């Protein structure tokens, strides 16, 4: 009875301890939740506050040629308004950042930048889309009243659709494309950069890759299939029934798809057809462009000129001329012909400018116009003098740091249909993460299906990681140069001896290992390019004994017991077939070795040999010599003489040495996996004994009592909790310090804004950019720490319960 009471008392005490640990965890979460961060109050960007004092004179005044261009534009506007009173007012000469009217064509600044990524249209479009932050138009049905220079837009990394298009057009013309800025109308999704109903381009690429199927090779000579003796009537009835089932399934699937499409259909837009948008047109011809297309500068996507997202065009321009669309847009842009040299379709402003895509007239029109052209030749020469003034914009320059940083503050998030794409600048994240695609099951993006991450500049050369949240399978892809030659790794858990598949760059490995597939009971390895012609190895493992689990001091003793190793070899033409081993099996548990040789020409069976291993000495201590019953032979071709026992004995000794070597190689394969696990754990844990400081405080006790074990556990957890809280407080203090310094700098800027030099202005902008970067990083670190701290606390508790020094006293928590 007393023993039962003592056990009940101990159980109650342990329950109290468990509740206490739960309270400690709750207390940790409460203290961490009280630590809040507040991003400095950065007001909405006010374009009217842009400092223009240091801008060049070309931004503030118009040259004589520019004034002449404005007069021509005013005259063109009057004629256009008179002839087309029902059309909207043209977008000709908006105000720039200095409040000066500038003709839109002179705002285009063709530029060639020294970055190979910007030599093609898609690279230019991606850069503009990533580098700038989208701002909607102040009035969705009217063009903006001002149009800033591309240099100012790049400086502040923000702008509307017209700003995006002007910058992109400048880059495209600079690299040789026949590009134009387009002023027209588009759908709400295009104008508002709403891609929540669009499939992510990365997902489209993966689906297209899956559709590519490998064609099966048809053999010239094939065995005829056996005659089908089944009833044709029964087969017809079964096929008819199966067809009815498939039709019903297809009908149900179509109804479900229609229901989903109806639910996902956007709400009616009251401004449909009236929303103003600007984009880029690239005409065919230059840079080997086969067909004209549109580019939406917000998303960097290309569209056909007949795409339904674009609902009409008012005008377009480049650095040479300005064209007004005279064609009907009742059917959107589907019926538009981009023959800019045809005055019936496109009314151009400058007669002397280049007329791309001018269609050749027929012979009769050519004869009629010949005399008229000769008479008006002098007049045309005079009109050619009215060409477009040079751009008033400073040369566009982008530093290497700005080009590499790309996204504003180094990060950008894009929402797609059931997916979210996040982008980071290189080196922004300590783990090298540059891109992450999260795929969701539902439209509201609440249940995660799969997460794909892309990395750069990692020490372990990890390039991509895919995590399937349903199957919990992780797939990692590595670049060439990994320490183990690793190419791909598929696993559920990083613990060794669990189910996994590993692919390697066999050219960089000494052993030529190409692939390894492993689970708890077996391991299969594939090789290529080996001098010994080995291409396959299969190892079967047995269950560990309790004794093997205890002997952790010797790695070989703790390894899984090997039951059998099977190897396969390609044909070595330098050896006779009867001496060239095709397959060998080391049956370790049965003390046997089986050899199978390659097929000899004109034979349908292969030679085989089986060795039965025995002890080197008998019961009396006498050395055992090779006996005939220790080797069983099947030799193809009875005329050939069998090898003598001495040769077979040497062969068996060699095979036994080979068996030892193979067992060590299998152990090394397991060591590689343990090494990968240790590398992963090394990122989160230190190689210190977490119990050592507390054991020293208790006097380095040799034999621990249950009370002392509980005390050690509580002290360790309490110390870890306060260290987690201290770390959060340190991050919070650094965050507040950075915020205060930024606010002081902003106040200083407001006081000295008018008297600042260009260098001071640039230094201030650079400081603000770096300060906001540091503040964002500290915010991310603190939020991540608050999320992971409870998990780390629970993980330490589990680790303490499994620690060999405490486990036998903490069985309740194990």
């Amino acid at each position: 009875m007393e023993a039962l009471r003592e056990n009940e008392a101990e159980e109650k005490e342990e329950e109290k301890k468990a509740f206490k640990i739960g309270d400690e965890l709750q207390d940790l979460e409460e203290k961490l939740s009280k630590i809040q961060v507040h991003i400095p109050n950065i007001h909405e960007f006010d374009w009217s506050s842009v400092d223009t004092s240091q801008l060049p004179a070309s931004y503030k005044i118009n040259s004589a040629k520019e004034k002449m261009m404005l007069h021509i534009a005013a005259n063109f506007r009057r004629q256009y308004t008179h002839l087309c009173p029902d059309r909207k007012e043209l977008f000709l000469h908006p105000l720039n950042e200095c409040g000066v009217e500038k003709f839109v064509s002179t705002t285009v600044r063709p530029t060639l930048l020294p970055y190979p990524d910007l030599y093609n249209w898609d690279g230019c479009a991606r850069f503009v889309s990533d580098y700038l932050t989208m701002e909607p138009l102040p009035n969705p049905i009217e063009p903006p009243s001002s149009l800033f220079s591309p240099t100012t837009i790049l400086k502040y990394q923000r702008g509307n659709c017209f700003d995006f298009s002007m910058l992109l057009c400048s880059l495209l013309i600079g690299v040789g494309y026949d590009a134009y800025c387009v002023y027209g109308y588009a759908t709400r999704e295009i104008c508002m950069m709403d891609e929540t109903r669009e499939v992510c381009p990365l997902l489209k690429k993966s689906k297209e890759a899956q559709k590519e199927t490998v064609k099966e090779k048809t053999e010239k000579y094939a065995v005829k299939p056996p005659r089908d003796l089944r009833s044709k009537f029964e087969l017809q009835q079964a096929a008819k029934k199966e067809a009815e089932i498939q039709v019903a399934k297809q009908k149900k699937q179509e109804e479900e798809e229609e229901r989903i499409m109806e639910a996902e259909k956007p709400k009616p837009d009251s401004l449909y057809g009236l929303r103003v948008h600007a984009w880029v047109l690239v005409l065919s011809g230059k840079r080997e462009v086969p067909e004209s297309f549109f580019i939406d500068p917000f998303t960097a996507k290309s569209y056909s000129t007949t795409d339904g997202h674009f609902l009409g065009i008012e005008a377009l321009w480049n650095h040479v001329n300005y064209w007004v669309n005279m064609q009907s847009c009742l059917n959107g842009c589907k019926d538009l012909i981009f023959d800019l040299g045809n005055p019936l379709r496109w009314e151009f402003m400058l007669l002397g400018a280049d007329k791309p895509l001018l269609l050749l007239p027929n012979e009769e029109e050519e004869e009629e116009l010949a005399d008229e052209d000769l008479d008006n030749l002098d007049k045309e020469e005079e009109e050619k003098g009215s060409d477009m003034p040079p751009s008033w914009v400073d040369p566009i320059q982008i530093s290497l740091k700005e080009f590499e940083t790309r996204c504003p503050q180094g990060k950008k998030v894009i929402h797609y249909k059931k997916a979210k794409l996040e982008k980071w600048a290189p080196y922004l994240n300590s783990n090298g993460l540059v891109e992450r695609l999260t795929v969701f099951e539902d439209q509201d993006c609440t249940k995660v299906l799969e997460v794909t991450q892309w990395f750069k500049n990692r020490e372990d050369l990890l390039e991509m990681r895919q995590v399937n949240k349903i199957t919990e399978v992780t797939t990692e892809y590595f670049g060439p140069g990994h320490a183990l030659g690793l190419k791909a790794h598929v696993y559920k858990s990083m613990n060794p001896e669990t189910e996994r598949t590993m692919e390697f760059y066999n050219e960089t490995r000494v052993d030529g290992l190409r692939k390894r597939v492993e689970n708890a009971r077996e391991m299969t390895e594939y090789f290529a390019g080996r001098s010994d012609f080995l291409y396959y190895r299969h190892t079967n493992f047995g269950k560990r004994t309790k004794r093997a689990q205890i002997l952790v001091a010797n790695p070989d003793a703790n390894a899984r017991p090997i039951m059998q190793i099977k190897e396969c070899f390609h044909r070595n033409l330098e050896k006779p077939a009867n001496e060239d081993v095709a397959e060998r099996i080391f049956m370790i548990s049965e003390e046997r070795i089986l050899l199978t040789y390659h097929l000899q020409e004109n034979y349908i069976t292969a030679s085989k040999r089986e060795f039965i291993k025995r002890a080197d000495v008998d019961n009396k201590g006498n050395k055992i010599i090779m006996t005939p019953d220790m080797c069983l032979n099947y030799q193809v071709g009875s005329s050939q003489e069998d090898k003598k026992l001495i040769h077979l004995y040497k062969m068996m000794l060699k095979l036994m040495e080979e068996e030892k070597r193979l067992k060590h190689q299998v152990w090394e394969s397991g060591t590689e996996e343990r090494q990968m696990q240790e590398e992963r754990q090394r990122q989160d844990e230190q190689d210190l004994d977490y119990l050592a400081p507390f054991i020293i405080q208790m006097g380095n006790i040799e034999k621990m009592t249950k009370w002392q074990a509980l005390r050690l556990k509580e002290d360790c957890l309490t110390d870890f909790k306060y260290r987690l809280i201290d770390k959060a407080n340190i991050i919070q203090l650094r965050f507040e310090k950075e915020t205060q310094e930024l606010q002081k700098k902003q106040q200083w800027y407001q006081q000295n804004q008018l008297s600042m030099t260009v260098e001071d202005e640039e230094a201030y902008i650079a400081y603000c950019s770096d300060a906001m970067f540091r503040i964002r990083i500290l915010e991310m670190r603190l939020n991540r720490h608050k999320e992971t701290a409870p998990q780390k606390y629970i993980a330490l508790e589990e680790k303490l319960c499994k620690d060999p020094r405490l486990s036998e006293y903490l069985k309740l928590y194990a």
Side-chain angles (χ1 to χ4, degrees):
M1 290 295 291
E2 292 181 359
L4 290 173
R5 289 175 184 174
E6 289 180 0
N7 290 335
E8 290 177 358
E10 289 179 357
E11 290 177 359
K12 288 181 180 179
E13 184 180 355
E14 290 173 351
E15 289 176 1
K16 290 180 181 179
K17 298 292 184 183
F19 284 123
K20 185 177 180 181
I21 291 171
D23 294 338
E24 291 282 340
L25 180 59
Q26 186 177 0
D27 180 54
L28 170 63
E29 293 178 347
E30 289 177 357
K31 289 185 177 180
L32 290 174
S33 64
K34 292 178 182 179
I35 301 174
Q36 300 294 334
V37 295
H38 301 282
I39 295 295
N41 188 15
I42 304 296
H43 300 285
E44 289 294 328
F45 191 80
D46 184 11
W47 286 105
S48 62
S49 64
V50 173
D51 182 22
T52 60
S53 60
Q54 303 299 327
L55 293 177
S58 61
Y59 285 62
K60 301 174 182 178
I61 59 174
N62 285 318
S63 64
K65 207 167 186 180
E66 285 180 302
K67 291 178 181 178
M68 177 62 70
M69 190 68 239
L70 291 176
H71 287 304
I72 295 173
N75 183 42
F76 185 82
R77 183 199 296 272
R78 285 194 297 271
Q79 295 182 43
Y80 175 77
T81 305
H82 176 72
L83 295 174
C84 306
D86 298 333
R87 293 282 295 271
K88 217 169 188 181
E89 188 175 354
L90 293 176
F91 187 68
L92 289 171
H93 42 73
L95 302 176
N96 70 354
E97 52 263 51
C98 296
V100 179
E101 287 186 351
K102 295 288 185 178
F103 189 65
V104 289
S105 292
T106 62
T107 309
V108 178
R109 179 64 189 241
T111 303
L112 175 62
L113 293 171
Y115 303 114
D117 289 352
L118 303 184
Y119 290 170
N120 295 309
W121 74 263
D122 52 346
C124 292
R126 281 197 302 270
F127 172 77
V128 173
S129 174
D130 291 341
Y131 194 77
L132 302 182
T133 300
M134 174 264 189
E135 288 185 349
L137 292 172
N139 187 343
I141 61 175
E142 294 290 341
S145 59
S146 60
L147 183 65
F148 289 7
S149 64
T151 54
T152 300
I153 296 302
L154 281 171
K155 181 178 180 180
Y156 294 99
Q157 289 190 257
R158 58 182 66 243
N160 55 44
C161 55
F162 285 84
D163 300 320
F164 273 68
S165 299
M166 295 296 278
L167 175 58
L168 178 56
C169 190
S170 300
L171 297 178
L172 292 176
I173 296 174
V175 294
Y177 286 97
D178 192 9
Y180 302 82
C181 293
V182 182
Y183 157 43
Y185 308 93
T187 59
R188 175 180 55 195
E189 287 71 26
I190 290 287
C191 295
M192 302 304 295
M193 204 176 75
D194 182 5
E195 299 184 83
T196 55
R197 291 179 178 85
E198 297 290 332
V199 178
C200 179
L202 296 175
L203 294 176
K204 288 182 181 178
K205 290 181 182 179
S206 62
K207 289 181 180 178
E208 290 174 0
Q210 291 176 1
K211 287 182 181 179
E212 295 181 359
T213 55
V214 180
K215 294 183 179 179
E216 296 182 359
K217 294 182 180 179
T218 56
E219 297 181 0
K220 186 175 180 181
Y221 302 101
V223 180
K224 292 183 179 180
R227 186 177 179 182
D228 192 356
L229 302 178
R230 293 176 295 176
S231 170
K232 293 183 178 180
F233 176 76
E234 292 180 353
L235 291 175
Q236 290 175 356
Q237 294 298 316
K240 185 177 179 181
K241 188 175 181 181
E242 181 65 24
E244 291 176 354
I245 294 173
Q246 292 298 328
V247 168
K249 285 183 179 179
Q250 186 175 359
K251 185 178 179 181
K252 187 176 180 181
Q253 184 177 356
E254 290 176 354
E255 291 176 352
E256 182 65 19
E257 289 177 355
E258 289 179 2
R259 186 189 66 79
I260 294 174
M261 290 178 63
E262 190 66 27
E264 295 178 352
K265 189 178 290 185
K267 296 179 181 179
D269 184 13
S270 59
L271 299 179
Y272 182 82
L274 301 175
R275 293 183 181 273
V276 171
H277 191 57
W279 63 95
V280 174
L281 164 68
V282 178
L283 292 182
S284 60
K286 292 185 178 180
R287 290 292 304 268
E288 300 181 355
V289 175
E291 188 176 354
S292 303
F293 62 94
F294 292 149
I295 303 176
D296 179 31
F298 282 162
T299 60
K301 291 182 180 179
S302 63
Y303 295 87
S304 168
T305 55
T306 60
D307 193 276
H309 287 92
F310 302 93
L311 307 177
I313 293 177
E314 289 286 352
L316 53 87
W317 62 89
N318 62 2
H319 64 301
V320 175
N321 207 343
Y322 187 97
W323 293 264
V324 179
N325 177 31
M326 306 304 293
Q327 304 170 76
S328 173
C329 293
L330 293 176
N331 197 22
C333 298
K334 295 180 180 179
D335 300 330
L336 297 185
I337 298 176
F338 294 95
D339 172 19
L340 302 185
N342 190 334
L344 298 178
R345 295 191 174 99
W346 297 92
E347 185 66 43
F348 42 83
M349 181 174 292
L350 300 181
L351 295 177
D354 186 21
K355 301 174 183 178
L357 294 185
L358 176 62
L359 299 181
L360 295 176
N362 55 35
E363 294 181 1
E364 295 179 359
E365 291 177 347
E366 199 170 317
E367 292 176 359
E368 293 175 0
L369 295 173
D371 297 334
E372 185 179 351
D373 289 342
L374 291 173
D375 295 337
N376 297 329
L377 182 60
D378 296 335
K379 293 182 180 180
E380 285 190 14
E381 291 296 331
E382 293 177 2
E383 290 170 349
K384 283 183 180 180
S386 302
D387 56 351
M388 190 67 64
S391 177
W392 54 273
V393 179
D394 263 3
I396 297 174
Q397 296 179 352
I398 300 173
S399 66
L400 181 59
K401 179 183 178 182
E402 293 169 340
F403 180 74
E404 291 291 344
T405 304
R406 292 287 182 99
C407 310
Q409 299 177 357
K411 181 180 180 181
K412 196 160 193 176
V413 180
I414 306 173
H415 295 275
Y416 293 100
K417 180 181 179 181
K418 298 183 180 180
K420 180 177 71 172
L421 179 63
E422 300 167 273
K423 297 181 179 180
W424 290 270
Y427 303 104
L428 180 64
N429 295 317
S430 58
N431 61 351
L433 180 65
V434 294
E435 206 168 10
R436 178 167 60 203
L437 175 63
T438 307
V439 181
F440 301 90
E441 183 179 5
D442 54 336
Q443 192 69 31
D444 296 331
C445 299
T446 57
K447 186 176 181 181
V448 179
L449 287 180
E450 186 179 71
V451 178
T452 305
Q453 298 172 312
W454 287 267
F455 302 87
K456 283 185 178 179
N457 310 310
R458 281 179 62 108
E459 186 178 355
D460 60 357
L461 300 176
L462 176 64
E463 293 181 345
M464 186 173 73
R465 177 185 293 143
Q466 291 178 320
V467 181
N468 190 315
K469 295 296 184 179
I470 305 301
T471 61
E472 297 183 353
V473 173
T474 301
T475 305
E476 295 178 336
Y477 299 92
F478 298 81
H482 188 272
L484 301 177
L486 189 60
K487 183 178 183 180
H489 189 193
V490 183
Y491 61 92
K492 279 191 175 183
S493 170
M494 279 301 296
N495 295 327
E497 303 173 9
T498 55
E499 186 174 354
R500 69 183 67 245
T501 300
M502 305 168 72
E503 295 183 11
F504 300 87
Y505 293 97
N506 60 281
E507 301 88 356
T508 62
R509 289 185 62 104
V510 178
D511 58 358
L513 180 61
R514 180 174 59 86
K515 183 178 179 181
R516 178 187 293 144
V517 182
E518 183 193 13
N519 55 38
R521 301 303 301 272
E522 58 184 359
M523 179 174 65
T524 305
E525 295 174 301
Y526 303 86
F527 302 86
R530 287 179 60 114
S531 58
D532 59 357
F533 297 91
L534 174 69
Y535 69 90
Y536 176 85
R537 178 187 294 152
H538 182 82
T539 306
N540 289 332
F541 300 98
K543 292 184 179 181
R544 278 196 180 94
T545 61
K546 293 183 178 180
R547 185 177 179 183
Q549 294 175 356
I550 296 173
L551 296 174
V552 294
N554 184 2
D556 288 318
N558 194 39
R560 292 173 290 179
I562 300 174
M563 309 301 291
Q564 177 178 300
I565 300 177
K566 175 182 176 181
E567 290 187 321
C568 298
F569 300 84
H570 288 301
R571 179 75 172 91
N572 183 2
L573 298 178
E574 295 181 358
K575 294 181 179 180
N578 274 345
E579 296 180 5
D580 187 13
V581 177
E583 177 185 285
R584 64 183 183 185
I585 304 175
F586 296 90
M587 304 178 71
I588 299 171
S589 59
E590 300 179 13
E591 297 288 332
R592 292 192 299 157
I593 302 175
L594 304 180
L595 300 180
T596 302
Y597 295 86
H598 282 278
L599 281 173
Q600 195 174 356
E601 190 177 357
N602 300 327
Y603 286 88
I604 61 173
T605 58
S607 299
K608 295 185 178 182
R609 183 170 284 122
E610 178 180 355
F611 291 94
I612 301 174
K613 295 186 293 181
R614 292 181 181 174
D616 293 337
V617 293
D618 57 13
N619 296 332
K620 297 181 179 180
N622 299 322
K623 187 173 182 179
I624 299 178
I625 302 177
M626 186 76 175
T627 57
D629 61 337
M630 294 174 63
C631 180
L632 304 178
N633 285 319
Y634 168 70
Q635 192 74 20
V636 174
S638 58
S639 61
Q640 298 183 5
E641 296 181 358
D642 293 338
K643 290 189 176 182
K644 295 183 179 179
L645 286 178
I646 185 63
H647 297 295
L648 295 175
Y649 180 67
K650 291 180 179 180
M651 184 183 297
M652 187 176 71
L653 292 179
K654 187 177 180 181
L655 288 172
M656 292 173 67
E657 290 296 324
E658 190 72 12
E659 181 181 302
K660 292 180 181 179
R661 184 184 64 82
L662 286 177
K663 290 170 68 176
H664 185 72
Q665 287 184 356
V666 171
W667 174 81
E668 285 183 342
S669 298
T671 304
E672 286 186 357
E673 295 168 19
R674 287 192 294 271
Q675 182 179 347
M676 291 182 60
Q677 183 195 20
E678 290 171 0
E679 288 178 0
R680 179 68 61 85
Q681 291 178 347
R682 196 178 294 118
Q683 299 175 3
D684 302 325
E685 297 180 359
Q686 297 180 352
D687 298 329
L688 298 175
D689 186 359
Y690 42 86
L691 285 178
F694 308 101
I695 293 177
I696 293 174
Q697 292 178 3
M698 297 182 70
N700 288 327
I701 49 179
E702 295 181 359
K703 189 175 181 181
M704 195 177 302
T705 63
K706 186 173 183 179
W707 178 85
Q708 290 172 330
L710 292 171
R711 173 72 182 276
L712 272 177
K713 180 184 176 183
E714 290 176 11
D715 292 347
C716 187
L717 287 173
T718 302
D719 179 77
F720 185 66
K721 183 187 76 171
Y722 286 114
R723 282 194 287 117
L724 291 173
I725 296 173
D726 291 341
K727 183 178 179 180
N729 288 327
I730 291 171
I731 299 174
Q732 170 70 8
L733 289 173
R734 291 178 181 173
F735 181 89
E736 293 174 353
K737 183 180 179 181
E738 289 288 347
T739 303
Q740 291 172 2
E741 291 179 357
L742 177 60
Q743 290 173 349
K744 290 179 181 178
K745 197 70 174 179
Q746 289 174 338
Q747 293 174 1
W748 172 84
Y749 175 78
Q750 295 295 332
Q751 296 171 359
N752 302 276
Q753 183 176 3
L754 299 178
S755 61
M756 292 176 65
T757 62
V758 178
E759 290 78 8
D760 293 336
E761 180 81 12
E762 292 176 352
Y764 169 75
I765 293 172
Y767 173 84
C768 289
S769 177
D770 293 339
M772 286 303 300
F773 173 78
R774 292 192 296 269
I775 289 171
R776 294 287 183 186
I777 291 297
L778 289 171
E779 180 198 20
M780 292 169 57
R781 286 180 180 174
L782 184 55
N783 291 334
R784 191 187 308 121
H785 178 70
K786 290 166 68 174
E787 291 175 359
T788 59
Q791 301 172 5
K792 291 179 179 178
Y793 186 91
I794 295 174
L796 179 60
E797 180 191 359
E798 293 177 355
K799 196 170 184 178
L800 290 171
C801 292
K802 295 178 181 179
D803 190 283
R805 294 166 291 183
L806 306 177
S807 58
E808 58 180 298
Y809 305 104
L810 305 175
K811 293 180 181 179
L812 179 63
Y813 308 104

